[in-house]
Amino acid sequence: MKGLFKSKPLSPPELVRHLRELLNFINPATPSREPKKEKYREEKMSEFNKCILEMRNILYGIDGAEPVLEACAQLTLEFMKEDTIRLLIVCLPKLDLGARQNATRVITNLSRQRIDSRSMAAEYLENNLDLINILILGYEDSEIALSYGPILRECIRCQSVARYVLESAQMKNFFDYVQNPNFEISSDAAATFKELLTRHKSTVAEFLSKNFDWFFQEYNSQLLQSPNYITRRHAVKLLGDMLLDRSNSAVMIRYVSSLDNMRILMNLLREPNKAIQLESFHVFKLFVANQNKPPEIVGILLSNRSKLLRFFSSFNIDKEDEQFEADKAQVVKVITDLNPQADDDEQQ
């Protein structure tokens, strides 16, 4: 007779409350190793896997069907109660791979949910910024890095959270994270690093202005001059993205007024890899275009004029690009027309 009656499906709020009970069991205040409790724990983990999968189906839809907005809203509202998000994040390392992947997708989706134009996750995170520290430190644990990384990127879509990370002592750790020997982890960290430095324009401009010296010293020495080709390639591409953004115009002028910085870019132009050469050119052209070039930069451009003109005469890319050709022609013209006496007069 038991098989004739199916239990009624849990509503979204009931599902979250059930999940909360399971999380408290999975992450108890006083762990036990008793055989009976271990077996019971396995049963609860199986129950958890079903529960988190059901949540994923609510948020993403199933079999091509669109998710029901009302169900998503109910799930989101209940999730923000009683620190359920915190419990789930803290418990992620204790889950098996499949459950962890589903839980990560649930958290990232919840972070994007809006109710009456309000981001519930943003409001929660602003009052629980210590969670961001937990997520950042995930890059130091190879088992959890690829789960915490995507969640962190969703969190920093919130401007106040991004500002918190940029201003924290942990920001400096990203120079190590993006050089992790594990390619997947370093790539994930690089994606987060880029998000931090490009998404929120005004916040990034303020951060770079206030932290110009230490930030670019680390950026130049650790990333642009890294022995790792992929690190150099990502770094010079991101540098171009930052300096060419109008919000960072003051930072760009400061960067391209440094002879040391230009020397690094000139060395990168000599790289055999075309991709690095091209990205380096997009930054190098800013040094050349600077209307107020310091005398020492003019001097280096003049002393290397013949080498630079010879380099640019054979510097091409694989596909036709009118903008690239125009930029290259302008760089060649400026270098060709450089006059030390005229520049000295301009500086005066």
Side-chain angles (χ1 to χ4, degrees):
M1 292 292 292
K2 185 178 179 182
L4 295 176
F5 300 98
K6 292 185 178 180
S7 59
K8 181 182 176 182
L10 296 177
S11 67
E14 290 171 336
L15 200 59
V16 177
R17 288 193 285 272
H18 183 49
L19 181 82
R20 199 151 52 224
E21 293 170 2
L22 293 169
L23 288 169
N24 283 319
F25 184 87
I26 291 168
N27 191 42
T30 53
S32 171
R33 289 293 177 185
E34 293 179 24
K36 286 184 178 180
K37 289 190 176 180
E38 277 295 296
K39 184 178 179 181
Y40 187 51
R41 184 179 183 280
E42 289 177 10
E43 293 174 0
K44 290 294 182 182
M45 284 297 293
S46 176
E47 208 172 323
F48 172 88
N49 291 348
K50 293 175 184 176
C51 186
I52 201 72
L53 178 60
E54 193 168 342
M55 287 183 171
R56 193 193 79 173
N57 291 339
I58 290 173
L59 293 168
Y60 288 93
I62 189 170
D63 295 333
E66 287 292 316
V68 178
L69 296 181
E70 179 60 27
C72 292
Q74 291 176 9
L75 197 73
T76 302
L77 285 170
E78 188 65 33
F79 234 102
M80 298 305 153
K81 297 178 182 177
E82 299 183 39
D83 280 341
T84 310
I85 283 275
R86 176 185 297 275
L87 278 171
L88 187 51
I89 288 173
V90 170
C91 283
L92 277 183
K94 299 184 179 183
L95 306 179
D96 62 45
L97 183 59
R100 191 185 302 164
Q101 289 175 337
N102 284 332
T104 299
R105 292 195 67 192
V106 165
I107 297 170
T108 54
N109 188 294
L110 288 169
S111 300
R112 295 192 294 270
Q113 292 289 332
R114 303 185 76 83
I115 299 173
D116 296 331
S117 300
R118 292 167 54 205
S119 170
M120 307 306 294
E123 292 178 14
Y124 178 83
L125 288 167
E126 286 171 357
N127 294 311
N128 294 272
L129 287 169
D130 62 298
L131 268 181
I132 304 302
N133 298 332
I134 294 172
L135 294 172
I136 294 172
L137 288 173
Y139 282 122
E140 298 178 15
D141 182 348
S142 60
E143 291 295 315
I144 199 66
L146 298 179
S147 295
Y148 278 0
I151 297 171
L152 179 60
R153 280 194 295 284
E154 284 298 328
C155 291
I156 59 181
R157 291 167 69 93
C158 170
Q159 190 163 5
S160 59
V161 174
R163 182 182 294 110
Y164 171 79
V165 178
L166 288 168
E167 294 175 353
S168 73
Q170 294 196 74
M171 183 62 190
K172 292 184 178 181
N173 295 341
F174 276 92
F175 289 101
D176 295 322
Y177 298 154
V178 299
Q179 298 182 82
N180 190 297
N182 181 305
F183 176 74
E184 288 186 320
I185 294 176
S186 64
S187 296
D188 194 279
T192 304
F193 193 55
K194 179 180 179 180
E195 188 78 357
L196 280 166
L197 293 167
T198 57
R199 172 166 284 277
H200 304 288
K201 309 297 186 185
S202 60
T203 300
V204 171
E206 182 182 353
F207 165 77
L208 292 176
S209 296
K210 287 182 178 178
N211 299 276
F212 185 94
D213 291 334
W214 78 258
F215 178 83
F216 283 109
Q217 182 179 356
E218 294 295 309
Y219 200 98
N220 289 349
S221 62
Q222 291 206 50
L223 305 185
L224 292 180
Q225 295 177 294
S226 167
N228 186 288
Y229 146 74
I230 294 175
T231 300
R232 293 195 306 277
R233 179 177 175 178
H234 286 167
V236 73
K237 172 69 168 65
L238 178 56
L239 178 64
D241 291 343
M242 288 190 288
L243 297 184
L244 287 164
D245 192 301
R246 291 183 180 181
S247 301
N248 297 327
S249 57
V251 172
M252 182 269 286
I253 292 297
R254 193 171 171 186
Y255 189 88
V256 302
S257 297
S258 164
L259 177 58
D260 289 339
N261 293 345
M262 190 176 78
R263 280 177 169 151
I264 292 171
L265 269 299
M266 288 175 72
N267 285 332
L268 287 169
L269 274 174
R270 297 166 58 191
E271 290 251 359
N273 182 273
K274 277 285 186 183
I276 290 182
Q277 281 188 338
L278 180 59
E279 297 301 341
S280 301
F281 169 71
H282 289 314
V283 180
F284 177 75
K285 70 185 181 186
L286 300 175
F287 289 88
V288 177
N290 184 7
Q291 295 296 310
N292 297 295
K293 290 183 278 292
E296 60 269 24
I297 284 183
V298 175
I300 290 296
L301 290 174
L302 284 169
S303 62
N304 289 274
R305 175 153 55 190
S306 60
K307 291 179 182 177
L308 286 166
L309 294 178
R310 189 162 56 247
F311 169 79
F312 285 121
S313 68
S314 59
F315 179 48
N316 296 296
I317 55 177
D318 296 333
K319 58 182 180 179
E320 288 188 18
D321 187 327
E322 291 183 6
Q323 186 60 55
F324 166 76
E325 293 298 337
D327 289 347
K328 187 177 74 165
Q330 182 62 24
V331 166
V332 168
K333 182 179 186 307
V334 172
I335 294 175
T336 302
D337 294 346
L338 271 179
N339 183 317
Q341 181 61 46
D343 192 81
D344 286 344
D345 294 340
E346 190 177 298
Q347 297 297 322
Q348 293 171 11

